Every structure is written in C-alpha cells, then in structure tokens.
Amino acid sequence: QEYTMKIGHVGALDGDDQQGAAFIKSFLEARSNGRIKVEIYPNGQMGDFRAHIEAVQLGTLELTATTGGGIAAFVPEIQVTDIPYTLRDDLVAEKVSDSPFFDDMRNLVLERTGNVRLLSVSNSGRWRSFFTTKKLIKSVDDLKGVKMRTINSPLQIEFVNALGGNATPIGWGELYTSLQTGVVEGTKNAATDIVPAKLDEVIKYASLDEHAYLFGFWWVNDDWLKSLPEDLQNLVVDAVRQGGIIQTQWNKEQEAGMLQQFVENGGTVYVPTAEERATFYPGGDAAKAWFSKEVSAEWLGKWESAIADVEAEIDAERARTIGR
Amino acid sequence: MVPVQFLWLLLVLIAVGLPIVFALGIVPLIAFMISDQPAFLKVVAQRLYAGIDQFPLLAIPLFILAGEIMNVGGITQRLVGFANTLVGHLRGGLAHVNIVSSIFFAGLSGSAVADTSALGSMLIPAMEKQGYTRRFAAAVTAASSVIGPIIPPSIIMVVYAYVMQVSIGALFLGGLVPGILTGLGLMIVTAFLAEKRNYPQARQRATLPEVGRAGWQAGFPLLTPLIILGGILSGVFTPTEAAAAAVVYSLVISLFVIRTLKLRRLPDLLLRTAVSSSVILLVVGMANVFGWVVTLSGLPTALASGILGISENPYLVLFLINVFLLFVGMFLDAGPAILILGPILAPIAIKLGVDPTHFAILMCVNLTIGLATPPMGLILFVASAVSRERVEAIVRDMLPYYLVHLLIILLITYVPAISLTIPRLFGLAP
Amino acid sequence: MKAISLLISGLSAVNNALLEICRVLSIALVAAITGVVSAGVFWRYVLNNSLSWSDELAKFLMVWLVFVGAPIAMRMGDHVSIDMFPDLFPPRGRAVLMAILLAIVIWFCVVLGYYSLLFAWNGWKQVAISIGRVPLFWIFVSVPVGMALILLVALQQFLEQIQEFLAPGTGERDPFLDRYEDLLREVGGE
Ligand code: NA
Ligand code: NA
C-alpha cells in the first residue's frame, strides 16, 4: 500500500465510533485497490478527546472522531452547538449537520488548529436528557434544588443553575458512587451512556427532554489529506461521510433498545409534553447569555439563523409532502 | 506495532538502578524511535501531561498533607497513649500497643512509611527500654505498618481507582475488614511470641476512666476516618473533596483544638507534601506513557489469552496472580506495580468472574505487604533507619509475622466476603 | 580536576537558586490546591452554587506542583530506585555506573524536553474553557520547565560522580542537601 490512515477514537469496540471507523476501513481498503491501509486504535489508546485532536494535529493519527468537547479548547465557539433546546428534533439536527454553518466552522477550526479539517458531522450517542434517582423531572418545578451532575463546562453549569438545580461537576469514574450515595441525584446524559455503564442500577427515572444533541465530528489531518492524489481524497471524504451516517443511524437503533432495557430493569421513561419542555427554555436562554458574553455573540447568531433556515426548509418539505 | 521485547528494557533499566520514574518514560521513547513510529514520539509529552491532569488524583496531595499534619508530634503520642490503655496490660504489652496504634494511625494517614517512621521513632526506644530487642521492636513496627494503606485513606487505592476507573469509596470500604484482620492476626502471633519468650507485662489493666480519658485525648484525630468515610457515604463529599475536608479538619484541630501544630511549622509540612506528591504523581504520569506503549504492543491481550489458556479456574489463576504479585512486590513499589500491572491483570480476573472491587483489594493488600518484604521494601528501609538495625536482622524477626501476611492474602483471595461485605452494605458493590 | 569542581560549584549555585524558587512555589501550590478544592466544596454545599473554575484550576496547580517538586526530589534522591546492583560495586565503580545512569536521565530530559516544548507550544492555540480563556500554554509549559530543571540537577549530579571517580572523597557536599534534609526530614520530631 502507499498510504496509511490511522484512526483513533475513545469509543469501545462495541460502540458507535467503532461502527463508523470499521465502515471507513472496509470501504477504503476495498475501493482503493490496496493503496490505502487503515489501522484502528479504539478504546482511547491515545487518551481523551482532546488528546486525539492533538494526535491528528501532530500527524500521529490521520483521522479521529470526537464530540464538540474535544475541540472546544481550540475553538470555544463550537460550544454553541451544545446550547440546550436550540434544536427541536432529529430532523433539524441532521439537516443542520449538513448546512453551511459547519462550512464556517470547518474554516474556523482549520484556522485555529492549523491543520485539523472537519470532514463529517454525525451523531455520537443521541440526545442528552435528565436521568434521576429519586424523582422524575417532568417540568422545571421538579428540578428545583436537585443536585444534577454535569460535565465540567460553564455552559452546562449555567444551564442547570439557571433552572434552580444545583449543578455538580463530577468525573465519569465517580458518577456511579456519587449517584449511589446521593452526592448527586441525577445526571445529564444520554441513554447510550447510562445503560452500558450499568448506571440504571441506581437511576430510576429518565425524562427525555432532549436538551442537547450529541454531535459527533470526524477530523482529518489536512496535510495528509492533501498529500493524497485527488481520487483518493474523494474516496476518503466519501468514506468518512458515510461512516458518519452509519454511526448516526446505529445510535438511533441502540438508543431504542437501551430505553427498552431501562424500562425492563425497573426504570421509568417519560417524554415531557411540549408545554412541559417549554418550561425548561429559560435555562437555554441563560446558556445563550453566557455564550454570547463569554464566547461569541456572532456565532450564536450564525447558529440560530442556520437553524431557522433548516426549520423553514423542513416545514416547507413537510407541507409539500402532506399536500397543504 | 510496538514489539513486546521493549518491555524487557524496562526491567533491565530498573535493575541496574535507574529511578523507576525515568525507566517508565525512557522505554516508550526508545520503542518509538527504533520501531519506525516517530509520529508517536510527538504524543509522549501529551500522554505524560494527560496522565497527571486528572481530578481524582488531587486526593493524593491532599491525603498526604492531612497525614503530615496529623503526624506532627502530639497526635502520635495521643494515639499510642490510647492504645496503651486498651492493650498495654497484655503480656508483650508494648508490642500489642504498636499494632493497635498502627490501626489507629492508618485511619489518619494514606501511606505506610509515615506510619513506620512516626510510630517507630516513638515506640522502638520505648520497647527497648522495657527489655525487648531493638530488632524485634523494629520488626513489629514494620509488620504492622502495612495496615496503613489497607485501612482508608489510602494513596495506593486512589491510584488504583484512577487507573482502573473503579469507585474510590468502594475500595476504601473494602479495605476496612482486611486491615483490621491483619492487625488481629499480628496480635495473635504476638501473644504466642510473648508467651514463649516471656515478654514483659508492664502495666495494670487500665481503669475505665483511664481508657475514657485517653480515648478523649485521641478522639479528635481518630474521628478523621469517620469524616472521610462518612462524608463520602452520606453523599456530602466526593473522595477528592473528602481529602480536602480531612486537611481542613486536621488543620483546625491540630492548630486550634488540641494545639499539636505550630503555624510556623506549616511551610515545612507543605514542602514535604509537595515533594512526596510530586514523586508519586510523576510516576503516575510516566506510567501513563508506559501503559500506552504496553497497550499498543498488544501484551495485555496476549498475556490474558496465555493465562486463560493455562487455566480458566479462577481459584488457580488468582493463586498464580498472588504468587506473581508477591514476587513483584519484593522489588517494585506498590504504586508503580499497580500502575503497570493493574490494567493487565484486572481484566483477566474480571473475565473469570472475580468482582472488580475484590480484585482491587487483593492487589492493593498483596503489593502493600511487598513494601515490607526484602530485598526492596520501603517500610524495611525506614524501620532500619529509625531503629539503626540492619534490614536482615529485622527481616529475621519478622518471619512469624510474614505468615500472618500470607494468611491474610489467602483469606482475602478465597473469601471475597471479607473485602465485599462492607461495600455491599452501602450498595457500592454488587 | 579543577575545572570540574569549578563547574560543579557554578552549576550548584545556579541550581540551588532555582530549587529555592521551586521550594517556595511548591509550598504555595500545595496551599493553593487545598484552598481551591475546599472553596469548591464550600461553594457547592454551603452556598449552593458551583464554582465552574475550581476543579480545572486545582488540576492545573497540581500539574505545576509535579514539575516544580520533581527537581527537588531529584536533588534529594527521592525518586525511587533499586540500589542493589549499584551497591555491588566499589566506590569508584559505583561512581561510573551512577554517571552512566545520570547520562541516560540527561538524554531523556533532552528528548522529552524537546517534545514537551512542541506540546506546550501547541497550547497557544488552546484555551482553558472554565478559567477566563487562559491559553493552555501556561499550563503545558510546566512539562518542559520541569524537564529542564531535572536536567540541570542531573547534570550537576553527573559531574559530581565524575569527580568522585577521578578523586574519591574530595568533592564538597552540596549545601542544599543539608539544608533540605533539615526542612524535609525533621518535622516529625517536634
Ligand atoms: Na490509611
Ligand atoms: Na518488597
């Protein structure tokens, strides 16, 4: 072979990143006439998300998949995609993934990192919702005074505190014990985090308010990409794009099964009504306020207008389909 | 991708006397340089940094500092005084006092060495004055010091929990019974020796008021483990926060309540904490680099299938792992041994159905005992420095106590309930 | 011979000044870590309002602590090693072996120092999310700084071993050792 693509990701061998990576490997190796060889380093062998981005930057890896958190140290603007309740559903999230917003983001990341190029935007584990041990969170009133685990991100902390909750940043390794002992009474996560980690042994309630969509990003080392002949460049871009789509679809299927399992294990799953969900929106506004003040009002504007465009498009499509 | 042979280099470098921390860092550099993977070289510094930049590790300097504060003068005297009213009247009284004090001290301190030096410098001269040989006094001190990191708080358990992503709370609880059992076992052997060698029975049984007074004197320091465990279990603290609480508590009581510490001594305590923490944490960081190369070499997978190929009987595999760990413990410190071997051995045991907390306790206790076995044993060196006896002499007097250590390891291995009952009681183990 | 002892005393003067800075910094860092973690607990449980920056700041202080504390430990010989093999040698042979080992450490510090400088430089492009967007360079640079300090100490120790080999027993004891032995070892004896 002439080229080697090393893919690293933090996911498990039976996780979504590996689904995407395995597809990319077989696609590229089958269709490049043996000119590209793909090696996969799963399970966080290169460290955490940020370490993977740095490995791509340094050319240790050619490709990696991370969440927005992985690149946020380089590009804090990407946190805009994490602002709660900006995305109304899967359709909007998937369509915005392909929108020009991420062309702008690609350029920004390239500019900041020098050589990390965004190839594909996917979903890396569905939506973040409220999972609690003691009481179901139907609307904002149920959140008052609840000690809610967040990741250590000011945006998440602002969000929970603005709704009257008590945000408590705790590492993943201590989450089980902390839920068990009551250091926290709930956590903002996805079902795809909760069930495989057996957290449903202590978590009893899932309220699928779906406040944040877990975007997945596939990053390539730009110098390596440019070192390929044009036909292989196209092949790589196609492979990664389709790998991302496979990852997104795989997660949907997984989530459905895991929610089912959650219920079988004695848990309660609740989907807040539109009115109940709306009671949480002030938390999203607080996160927006934090973001415009501390990071960038301009990127908040870009994000909101991208979503407005996508929503209009979807509404029009839907109207055409129904024949209204 | 990285050949396994590079791992031999680690052993050679350590054996010829290179500090372990550098050996752990050098092997990855050489491995990547020689195996035409220069791209990976660029990530070495990042791996080192990322191995240290971890929130759970903050518990290490904090527990060390709390231990240092408690280690200053007066508090040790109070613990020993209390132990003396409890068991001082037995035949071989001071030897028993030594062991019970170790159990008390273990609740304040996260390491074994602090125990050896604090109790040794006070009790070895006292025992000698009562007619014990110095080397026996040193042997009892060393043998009971291993209780230090078994009863919480424990630095090595923090390290284990960090590399293996298990709950520190569960490990802390899991260590309670094995720690106390070790103490009881050592006391039983001491009772035999005392009978046989006719050791002195130096004092009358303490009256209840005497016990009460001594208990009151030692009460505030002895509350520390309760604050740590109680805080974690009641959901007030995460383990790291509990460590901070322990520091604040020990500072407040030793500065203002029982006044065993003078403010001007504080900078020296902070310096000692800084140096010991940085030694441990730099090893943690370098081990992260080394562990990365081990993973890339595929050794863990190969070793696991090799061992499981020999036998899939968990009793036999655990026995072999114990023998291996005892051997490793003769040469390596518990911290680096856990960092290097934990990720390799734990998955094998877990695959055979051993509970992760049970295995963690087993590994921590086994390697802690290694701190008191020759030829390389930090506890022995400190005991030797404090008593001015040669290591060989101390070891000879420790032989009956090693039997207790071995028995404890076997008990922990084959009776999982010893490590799991208390964590289960609090819902931290299945 | 004269040249070596001159080199040693020059290097020792530089190192001891640097280590004195490390000493003060490491004391301040341990105190700061305790303060920051305690403040985090206090805010969360007493004031019911999490500090978003306390965890990240405490970790950064700890990383710096490691790299200013490790050079002191190097000077004091506190990094754990197995001395059985070196102890088999007569004094001059031991000095040669120790010099070789120190040369390995020096090589390591140079290589890792170089790569950690690259790593740190990349930190200019990154910011600490929860602490006022500080460039991560200021935290990452602790690694090359630590490597450089350990390298300087190792260099001095290397020269001391050479001197020990050439003229056994003539080297003067570094005043740092006595001073720090006092600071580090004698606390318990009050
Ligand atoms: Na302890
Ligand atoms: Na040993």
Side-chain angles (χ1 to χ4, degrees):
Chain A
Q1 93 278 351
E2 299 163 48
Y3 302 96
T4 303
M5 177 196 248
K6 296 190 287 301
I7 308 178
H9 63 78
V10 303
L13 274 175
D14 55 359
D16 65 323
D17 294 327
Q18 181 68 12
Q19 291 289 322
F23 171 82
I24 292 166
K25 176 178 166 74
S26 50
F27 185 92
L28 284 179
E29 289 184 345
R31 288 168 184 268
S32 65
N33 290 330
R35 285 189 292 160
I36 297 187
K37 183 169 164 276
V38 178
E39 294 170 2
I40 302 177
Y41 296 90
N43 277 325
Q45 288 181 18
M46 302 286 161
D48 59 7
F49 285 134
R50 196 174 77 198
H52 278 74
I53 299 276
E54 285 172 345
V56 167
Q57 214 183 7
L58 295 166
T60 310
L61 293 174
E62 278 72 38
L63 188 78
T64 191
T66 74
T67 64
I71 196 88
F74 293 92
V75 187
E77 288 83 349
I78 203 155
Q79 292 178 91
V80 77
T81 62
D82 224 14
I83 295 180
Y85 308 111
T86 50
L87 298 163
R88 72 179 182 203
D89 56 24
D90 277 308
L91 235 52
V92 174
E94 283 169 33
K95 206 154 196 136
V96 89
S97 300
D98 285 333
S99 73
F101 173 84
F102 283 106
D103 294 327
D104 290 353
M105 188 57 78
R106 176 182 303 114
N107 292 333
L108 183 67
V109 173
L110 260 176
E111 182 192 311
R112 294 274 172 80
T113 58
N115 61 352
V116 176
R117 176 177 288 274
L118 175 61
L119 276 195
S120 155
V121 180
S122 60
N123 175 276
S124 72
R126 304 297 297 147
W127 296 79
R128 226 182 264 133
S129 291
F130 292 120
F131 286 79
T132 42
T133 52
K134 294 200 181 112
K135 68 171 180 188
L136 181 62
I137 311 285
K138 286 188 176 179
S139 70
V140 72
D141 296 334
D142 303 314
L143 201 58
K144 292 271 178 296
V146 171
K147 287 183 276 181
M148 183 66 66
R149 181 260 180 178
T150 66
I151 54 169
N152 191 9
S153 136
L155 190 124
Q156 306 294 340
I157 293 171
E158 289 291 325
F159 163 57
V160 170
N161 286 345
L163 293 177
N166 190 354
T168 309
I170 278 180
W172 181 249
E174 280 304 325
L175 183 52
Y176 187 101
T177 318
S178 301
L179 286 162
Q180 174 83 48
T181 57
V183 167
V184 290
E185 297 148 317
T187 179
K188 279 156 33 62
N189 274 99
T192 55
D193 303 322
I194 301 291
V195 177
K198 299 204 172 128
L199 288 176
D200 55 338
E201 290 171 4
V202 278
I203 287 173
K204 290 297 154 233
Y205 303 99
S207 171
L208 303 187
D209 70 307
E210 308 202 319
H211 53 265
Y213 186 76
L214 296 170
F215 284 102
F217 300 98
W218 290 82
W219 313 98
V220 74
N221 177 301
D222 196 41
D223 303 325
W224 179 79
L225 185 70
K226 294 294 156 57
S227 76
L228 302 174
E230 210 166 295
D231 63 324
L232 289 185
Q233 287 180 7
N234 294 341
L235 201 67
V236 165
V237 171
D238 294 354
V240 175
R241 184 181 157 74
Q242 295 180 68
I245 292 171
I246 283 169
Q247 178 195 17
T248 302
Q249 299 308 326
W250 189 83
N251 276 322
K252 273 185 202 169
E253 208 180 302
Q254 288 295 305
E255 184 192 45
M258 284 175 188
L259 285 173
Q260 201 173 5
Q261 206 181 323
F262 183 80
V263 173
E264 277 166 18
N265 294 350
T268 303
V269 175
Y270 181 78
V271 182
T273 64
E275 293 75 39
E276 283 166 343
R277 191 175 190 255
T279 64
F280 295 116
Y281 290 176
D285 296 338
K288 278 180 199 168
W290 177 86
F291 183 87
S292 349
K293 180 166 166 276
E294 300 291 330
V295 185
S296 162
E298 185 200 344
W299 279 86
L300 178 61
K302 284 189 189 198
W303 180 239
E304 290 188 314
S305 84
I307 291 168
D309 291 350
V310 163
E311 284 178 351
E313 236 176 275
I314 290 173
D315 291 345
E317 262 175 42
R318 188 187 284 154
R320 284 200 303 279
T321 311
I322 298 172
R324 282 202 280 249
Chain B
M1 97 121 258
V2 179
V4 176
Q5 288 83 302
F6 286 113
L7 307 180
W8 290 106
L9 186 62
L10 179 82
L11 299 183
V12 172
L13 289 175
I14 292 176
V16 297
L18 194 71
I20 293 168
V21 69
F22 297 119
L24 286 169
I26 284 169
V27 173
L29 290 187
I30 295 181
F32 292 138
M33 281 177 175
I34 295 181
S35 67
D36 73 321
Q37 290 287 356
F40 283 80
L41 273 175
K42 298 182 197 160
V43 186
V44 169
Q46 196 275 339
R47 301 271 65 210
L48 167 63
Y49 171 85
I52 302 169
D53 176 33
Q54 301 287 343
F55 187 73
L57 295 179
L58 280 164
I60 291 176
L62 293 171
F63 278 134
I64 292 179
L65 179 56
E68 289 286 353
I69 293 168
M70 292 290 196
N71 192 354
V72 174
I75 291 182
T76 321
Q77 270 155 26
R78 285 159 186 251
L79 296 182
V80 172
F82 183 39
N84 198 16
T85 60
L86 292 176
V87 292
H89 59 280
L90 302 172
R91 185 170 292 284
L94 274 187
H96 289 292
V97 169
N98 194 325
I99 297 166
V100 172
S101 302
S102 280
I103 297 178
F104 289 161
F105 201 84
L108 317 183
S109 138
S111 81
V113 174
D115 185 325
T116 320
S117 62
L119 292 175
S121 52
M122 180 177 309
L123 283 172
I124 294 172
M127 287 177 78
E128 203 184 0
K129 216 175 282 168
Q130 283 194 9
Y132 299 86
T133 62
R134 215 165 39 188
R135 59 170 210 244
F136 174 73
V140 180
T141 307
S144 59
S145 292
V146 302
I147 300 170
I150 301 176
I151 288 179
S154 165
I155 304 297
I156 60 165
M157 286 181 186
V158 172
V159 169
Y160 189 100
Y162 155 68
V163 277
M164 298 307 296
Q165 293 282 303
V166 293
S167 154
I168 299 177
L171 297 196
F172 276 9
L173 285 181
L176 273 175
V177 176
I180 291 168
L181 269 186
T182 309
L184 288 178
L186 295 174
M187 285 176 75
I188 291 171
V189 168
T190 303
F192 273 116
L193 294 176
E195 231 20 84
K196 210 179 92 195
R197 300 178 186 167
N198 203 18
Y199 281 141
Q201 204 161 3
R203 58 166 294 168
Q204 299 280 305
R205 181 188 282 275
T207 61
L208 212 57
E210 275 182 302
V211 177
R213 206 172 319 120
W216 172 252
Q217 292 251 309
F220 283 111
L222 280 177
L223 280 178
T224 315
L226 273 184
I227 288 173
I228 295 169
L229 287 177
I232 295 175
L233 294 174
S234 63
V236 180
F237 303 133
T238 64
T240 307
E241 294 170 347
V247 171
V248 172
Y249 175 74
S250 55
L251 253 185
V252 169
I253 63 159
S254 55
L255 278 176
F256 305 117
V257 183
I258 55 179
R259 302 204 189 145
T260 43
L261 177 66
K262 295 193 183 67
L263 208 52
R264 68 184 161 78
R265 287 307 228 163
L266 211 50
D268 293 352
L269 291 181
L270 293 169
L271 178 65
R272 284 160 61 104
T273 305
V275 174
S276 3
S277 310
S278 54
V279 166
I280 295 172
L281 291 168
L282 192 61
V283 170
V284 171
M286 290 296 181
N288 192 47
V289 184
F290 179 79
W292 176 47
V293 182
V294 171
T295 310
L296 291 175
S297 77
L299 178 75
T301 331
L303 200 73
S305 63
I307 289 180
L308 296 175
I310 300 172
S311 168
E312 291 211 8
N313 178 340
Y315 297 106
L316 182 62
V317 172
L318 284 185
F319 180 79
L320 294 176
I321 287 180
N322 270 317
V323 173
F324 176 63
L325 288 178
L326 279 173
F327 178 74
V328 169
M330 287 181 178
F331 300 93
L332 263 189
D333 238 25
I338 283 170
L339 289 161
I340 299 168
L341 297 173
I344 299 179
L345 296 177
I348 299 175
I350 291 165
K351 203 170 206 169
L352 293 175
V354 179
D355 180 86
T357 305
H358 175 207
F359 187 77
I361 299 293
L362 171 85
M363 189 156 176
C364 289
V365 171
N366 188 314
L367 289 169
T368 301
I369 284 169
L371 294 175
T373 58
M376 296 305 302
L378 218 46
I379 292 179
L380 291 178
F381 298 156
V382 176
S384 160
V386 173
S387 65
R388 298 182 201 289
E389 281 283 347
R390 290 176 48 234
V391 168
E392 297 91 295
I394 299 174
V395 167
R396 215 174 316 124
D397 267 24
M398 277 181 71
L399 290 177
Y401 292 127
Y402 286 134
L403 285 180
V404 175
H405 292 158
L406 282 178
L407 193 69
I408 292 291
I409 292 177
L410 284 176
L411 273 175
I412 293 175
T413 306
Y414 295 116
V415 188
I418 292 175
S419 349
L420 292 178
T421 301
I422 296 196
R424 271 183 194 142
L425 220 57
F426 290 91
L428 296 186
Chain C
M1 205 45 247
K2 193 85 183 284
I4 289 183
S5 73
L6 226 76
L7 257 175
I8 292 175
S9 56
L11 200 50
S12 154
V14 173
N15 283 350
N16 292 355
L18 289 171
L19 290 175
E20 184 61 21
I21 298 174
C22 287
R23 184 180 74 88
V24 174
L25 277 178
S26 64
I27 290 173
L29 284 165
V30 176
I33 288 169
T34 311
V36 170
V37 177
S38 306
V41 183
F42 184 77
W43 253 260
R44 188 172 311 148
Y45 291 105
V46 182
L47 307 183
N48 256 339
N49 189 0
S50 303
L51 294 175
S52 57
W53 46 265
S54 63
D55 290 4
E56 202 171 5
L57 180 60
K59 282 192 309 177
F60 291 160
L61 295 172
M62 177 173 66
V63 172
W64 265 107
L65 170 65
V66 173
F67 292 100
V68 298
I72 300 177
M74 182 72 191
R75 177 68 275 200
M76 300 306 299
D78 277 355
H79 291 295
V80 183
S81 61
I82 298 183
D83 298 327
M84 266 190 307
F85 184 70
D87 288 347
L88 294 178
F89 288 79
R92 290 188 72 195
R94 192 175 194 280
V96 173
L97 176 67
M98 296 315 276
I100 295 172
L101 294 178
L102 285 162
I104 296 176
V105 172
I106 290 167
W107 171 80
F108 172 70
C109 290
V110 170
V111 177
L112 188 58
Y114 167 74
Y115 285 112
S116 58
L117 208 55
L118 291 185
F119 162 68
W121 203 253
N122 198 25
W124 282 118
K125 296 176 186 162
Q126 302 178 55
V127 291
I129 302 275
S130 70
I131 319 171
R133 308 189 67 183
V134 179
L136 289 181
F137 171 82
W138 294 113
I139 294 109
F140 292 174
V141 79
S142 60
V143 187
V145 166
M147 287 303 130
L149 290 167
I150 294 174
L151 178 121
L152 285 173
V153 173
L155 202 60
Q156 182 187 340
Q157 290 170 327
F158 174 79
L159 292 172
E160 284 168 356
Q161 295 296 341
I162 299 285
Q163 187 182 40
E164 179 65 20
F165 171 73
L166 294 175
T170 60
E172 282 171 36
R173 190 172 152 83
D174 190 335
F176 181 91
L177 294 175
D178 294 322
R179 172 163 150 61
Y180 275 64
E181 224 131 66
D182 285 350
L183 291 178
L184 285 168
R185 320 269 178 237
E186 296 299 319
V187 183
E190 192 166 35

